[in-house]
């Protein structure tokens, strides 16, 4: 029977309900889940959904961040502040430590560490025996992301096989794993970038300042605006410009680029996002432009 309450629900209400159902299902079925929290916009939305799913109690899982050591300082400061505000446990494991142990070997010191996060994550999973890692990936981000189920199985080596996916019919999720195996859970799989910003606006969520328009030194490189930082200085012959930009996604400084923008509020960003024709990763991630299969290769190795 259709009720007035049902008729008045928005698409955000339906997405929120689905995500809360998934979070509660994982908390009930899995022994040692963890929520991946980087301080980025998608994981901030996940935190709000977790609040709605489990408050006034504590979260039934800790938070985990795999720190590349090449993060934007504004994001790391926000990550720590948000975890403190929530009063939840934040576990940080560092790619730097994996490098020191020799489990991660880079060709060059300043290489992108995005792919290296897979090794550090697998080490953290083994250390804490996590059987479910809850992440903020969405299917609209990238081709390989679109192949994921909501509960995505990883074998005892931490690897993902896109051809070996479990069916998810009628919102039934198979969370069973053997010792050493785990699943990656994506409660906001069905959300789009536009949905995320509409939810941020509706819930009045705080985000790192670099998501909004600000003036930053950049150079134009391969069709992108590469940020100038101590880690990423300009190359010979490049002209540094002061450009008003914002970040659509945040990640490794060495490969994450902003976009030119005057949008300084969620409402402004919603208007921009509604007309954009390029995905956020396509517009901002240098490492994903190297090859169409870059993300899929990283995911098969254990990446988020």
């Amino acid at each position: 029977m259709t009720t007035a309450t049902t008729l008045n629900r928005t698409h955000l209400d339906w997405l929120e309900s689905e995500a809360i159902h998934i979070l509660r299902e994982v908390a009930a079925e899995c022994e040692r889940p963890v929520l991946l929290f980087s301080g980025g916009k998608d994981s901030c939305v996940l935190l709000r959904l977790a609040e709605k799913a489990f408050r006034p109690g504590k979260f039934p899982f800790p938070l985990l961040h795999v720190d590349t050591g090449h993060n934007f300082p504004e994001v790391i400061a926000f990550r720590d502040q948000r975890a403190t505000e929530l009063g939840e446990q934040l576990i940080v494991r560092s790619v730097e430590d994996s490098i020191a142990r020799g489990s991660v070997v880079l060709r060059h010191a300043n290489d992108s560490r995005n792919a290296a996060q897979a090794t550090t994550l697998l080490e953290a999973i083994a250390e804490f025996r996590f059987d479910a890692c809850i992440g903020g990936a969405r299917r609209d981000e990238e081709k390989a992301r679109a192949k994921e189920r909501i509960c995505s199985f990883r074998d005892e080596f931490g690897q993902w096989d896109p051809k070996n996916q479990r069916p998810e019919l009628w919102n039934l999720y198979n969370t069973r794993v053997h010792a050493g195996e785990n699943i990656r859970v994506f409660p906001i799989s069905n959300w789009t970038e536009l949905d995320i910003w509409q939810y941020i606006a509706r819930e009045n969520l705080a985000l790192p300042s670099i998501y909004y328009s600000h003036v930053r030194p950049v150079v134009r490189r391969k069709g992108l605006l590469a940020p100038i930082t101590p880690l990423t200085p300009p190359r010979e012959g490049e002209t540094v410009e002061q450009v008003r930009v914002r970040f659509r996604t945040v990640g490794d400084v060495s490969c994450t680029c902003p976009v030119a923008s005057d949008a300084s509020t969620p409402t402004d960003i919603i208007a921009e996002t509604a007309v954009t024709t390029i995905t956020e990763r396509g517009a901002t991630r240098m490492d994903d432009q190297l090859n169409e299969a870059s993300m899929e290769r990283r995911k098969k190795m254990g990446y988020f």
Side-chain angles (χ1 to χ4, degrees):
M1 179 177 178
T2 302
T3 66
T5 301
T6 301
L7 291 174
N8 289 333
R9 298 192 75 189
T10 69
H11 78 288
L12 291 180
D13 293 325
W14 291 108
L15 289 170
E16 179 186 76
S17 294
E18 178 187 56
I20 289 172
H21 166 67
I22 293 165
L23 286 168
R24 289 173 174 166
E25 186 77 5
V26 171
E29 295 291 333
C30 297
E31 183 179 352
R32 292 177 178 269
V34 66
L35 190 149
L36 305 177
F37 178 61
S38 65
K41 68 182 189 305
D42 297 324
S43 56
C44 287
V45 167
L46 272 185
L47 284 192
R48 173 52 57 88
L49 294 166
E51 286 184 90
K52 292 195 174 189
F54 304 112
R55 287 294 192 247
K58 298 281 287 184
F59 291 174
F61 38 66
L63 311 179
L64 171 67
H65 183 218
V66 177
D67 187 348
T68 65
H70 286 180
N71 298 94
F72 291 95
E74 298 95 331
V75 180
I76 295 300
F78 180 87
R79 176 203 70 186
D80 294 341
Q81 175 188 336
R82 191 73 188 100
T84 300
E85 290 171 350
L86 287 169
E88 298 292 345
Q89 180 188 8
L90 172 65
I91 300 168
V92 178
R93 288 299 178 265
S94 171
V95 173
E96 292 278 4
D97 291 339
S98 297
I99 293 171
R101 286 191 293 269
S103 53
V104 167
V105 179
L106 302 175
R107 291 176 301 172
H108 305 289
N110 290 338
D111 278 353
S112 166
R113 297 182 177 185
N114 268 350
Q117 290 180 86
T119 298
T120 306
L121 175 61
L122 293 178
E123 290 172 345
I125 290 171
E127 177 184 356
F128 294 98
R129 294 187 291 120
F130 293 132
D131 56 356
C133 296
I134 305 165
R138 308 185 324 268
R139 292 190 179 118
D140 75 322
E141 287 182 80
E142 199 271 343
K143 293 177 181 179
R145 298 283 201 211
K147 296 180 181 180
E148 291 274 21
R149 296 288 194 266
I150 286 174
C151 290
S152 184
F153 174 76
R154 299 298 197 272
D155 65 20
E156 63 271 25
F157 302 105
Q159 296 181 331
W160 172 65
D161 181 0
K163 296 181 180 179
N164 183 23
Q165 296 277 311
R166 296 171 172 179
E168 293 180 339
L169 305 176
W170 305 291
N171 293 333
L172 297 176
Y173 306 109
N174 185 347
T175 60
R176 295 182 181 179
V177 293
H178 297 294
E181 300 172 342
N182 67 87
I183 55 173
R184 307 292 168 81
V185 184
F186 305 115
I188 59 173
S189 287
N190 293 326
W191 297 48
T192 65
E193 184 182 9
L194 183 59
D195 295 328
I196 291 292
W197 278 107
Q198 289 174 334
Y199 193 76
I200 288 167
R202 190 184 85 170
E203 299 292 313
N204 195 27
L205 296 184
L207 295 178
S209 59
I210 62 175
Y211 274 111
Y212 300 106
S213 181
H214 59 285
V215 176
R216 179 178 290 266
V218 300
V219 296
R220 300 181 187 274
R221 185 180 299 162
K222 298 180 181 179
L224 300 174
L225 298 176
I228 298 303
T229 70
L231 182 67
T232 55
R235 298 172 183 171
E236 184 177 354
E238 290 183 329
T239 301
V240 178
E241 303 175 51
Q242 297 290 331
V243 178
R244 184 165 289 280
V245 299
R246 69 176 178 89
F247 285 85
R248 290 176 65 184
T249 181
V250 296
D252 192 304
V253 171
S254 67
C255 63
T256 304
C257 298
V259 296
S261 175
D262 292 320
S264 57
T265 68
T267 301
D268 295 339
I269 294 175
I270 288 168
E272 280 191 356
T273 305
V275 297
T276 189
T277 58
I278 304 176
T279 66
E280 60 201 87
R281 298 190 73 92
T284 65
R285 291 294 179 92
M286 288 184 175
D287 53 347
D288 286 339
Q289 292 191 347
L290 296 176
N291 187 293
E292 285 193 353
S294 294
M295 172 65 82
E296 185 159 328
R297 283 202 304 269
R298 293 203 301 273
K299 287 176 71 63
K300 287 180 178 179
M301 295 168 56
Y303 189 72
F304 315 146

